[in-house]
Amino acid sequence: MTKIGVVFPQTEFGNDPGAIRDYAQTAEALGFTHILAYDHVLGANPNRPGGWAGPYTDKTPFHEVFQLFSFMAGVTEKIRFVTGILILPQRQTALVAKQAASLDVLSGGRLRLGVGLGWNPVEYQSLNEDFHNRGRRIEEQISVLRRLWTEELVTFEGKWHSIPDAGLNPMPVQRPIPIWFGGHHPNVLRRVGQMGDGWLPNYRVAADAISSWEQIKIHAADAGRIPSEIGMEPRLRFAADTPNDWGRQIEAWEKVGATHFSVNTMDAGCVSAEAHIAAIKQFKEEL
């Protein structure tokens, strides 16, 4: 059964804890299966030396995703939480393992960890991580995460990680927590096929994803995996689409292989938290 969630519109929603609670509880009451949130730690000043041309700046609000989801988990019972995506290589791997495990425990096993490389060198520099080798590092990070989530004690010696017989306590409910990859680079498609539990594409139209999905299935088969066990979650835009459009898009994506969807109400003219809540109600009712 296809699972449909919502994208928490944090760049437009504001910081009122009561409104965030209402959003999470409304999404759960409406029957959405999950809440997805984007991730950024720092925003760059566009007037900094060298300028800045990224889509987000220091004026764009982002809640830290583990903190956000921990709060939402405390005011809900069953809706799941998805990082879409967590910029993994700009973080310490063991700390991410700990944060994710704690959230998984406190939410009763409701976390899905979407990860990616990110695009913001300023953020990497500020977090004291190397922007240029992030693709090579993420594969070792995935190995470390899964071992920490499934083994009480881990001894690991890799190119970027060294764990001298240590482990997490408590360990997560899900062992391991599902890991999904975002992005379209050929190396990302390879990682999805070889080691991912799912894929978070950015394509707007299902037909544009067919070639990438075929590559993922080839990589999965080459790795001895069953391609049909890999999930796919595209996003639906509330703005500029009608309920008929949503239905047609869902049908087209399902034919490609989508197993999950999330509806994004950002950039839809919602000027308040209440407007975003009304938008997800409208989506559910009209779809």
Side-chain angles (χ1 to χ4, degrees), residues 31-239:
F32 288 106
T33 58
H34 58 279
I35 299 173
L36 181 147
Y38 300 166
D39 166 55
H40 280 288
V41 176
L42 298 172
N45 178 3
N47 298 317
R48 60 187 290 274
W52 180 248
Y56 305 117
T57 73
D58 61 305
K59 304 301 182 186
T60 311
F62 280 93
H63 295 286
E64 198 284 317
V65 286
F66 289 123
Q67 297 282 338
L68 174 68
F69 285 155
S70 292
F71 175 82
M72 288 182 171
V75 297
T76 58
E77 296 180 356
K78 60 185 179 180
I79 198 164
R80 298 181 66 86
F81 305 104
V82 186
T83 59
I85 48 82
L86 185 86
I87 307 168
L88 184 58
Q90 70 182 18
R91 289 172 164 82
Q92 295 172 304
T93 311
L95 181 57
V96 171
K98 182 71 171 183
Q99 292 170 312
S102 295
L103 174 55
D104 201 57
V105 168
L106 295 175
S107 67
R110 289 189 274 159
L111 175 63
R112 175 160 41 108
L113 193 72
V115 300
L117 300 181
W119 47 265
N120 186 345
V122 172
E123 203 165 17
Y124 270 81
Q125 178 182 347
S126 302
L127 292 165
N128 199 32
E129 295 291 347
D130 191 336
F131 181 78
H132 301 288
N133 66 11
R134 66 198 194 283
R136 297 190 297 275
R137 284 190 291 116
I138 197 171
E139 296 186 22
E140 188 171 293
Q141 287 187 289
I142 299 303
S143 298
V144 171
L145 288 174
R146 285 185 169 144
R147 288 196 59 183
L148 287 169
W149 290 335
T150 57
E151 301 174 28
E152 291 185 0
L153 288 171
V154 174
T155 298
F156 184 95
E157 197 67 42
K159 186 171 182 179
W160 290 286
H161 300 81
S162 178
I163 303 177
D165 197 18
L168 298 177
N169 191 354
M171 294 175 70
V173 174
Q174 302 176 96
R175 301 187 186 179
I177 294 167
I179 296 177
W180 289 43
F181 287 89
H184 305 129
H185 188 279
N187 285 339
V188 173
L189 305 180
R190 174 181 55 79
R191 292 178 193 120
V192 176
Q194 291 179 347
M195 63 184 71
D197 295 300
W199 180 42
L200 295 158
N202 284 327
Y203 295 116
R204 172 90 189 276
V205 179
D208 293 342
I210 293 174
S211 176
S212 295
W213 187 239
E214 290 303 314
Q215 289 300 310
I216 289 172
K217 291 192 290 185
I218 290 170
H219 290 304
D222 289 344
R225 305 181 67 202
I226 301 173
S228 61
E229 294 181 353
I230 299 173
M232 182 202 304
E233 178 168 346
R235 294 188 300 276
L236 305 172
R237 292 179 70 249
F238 185 86

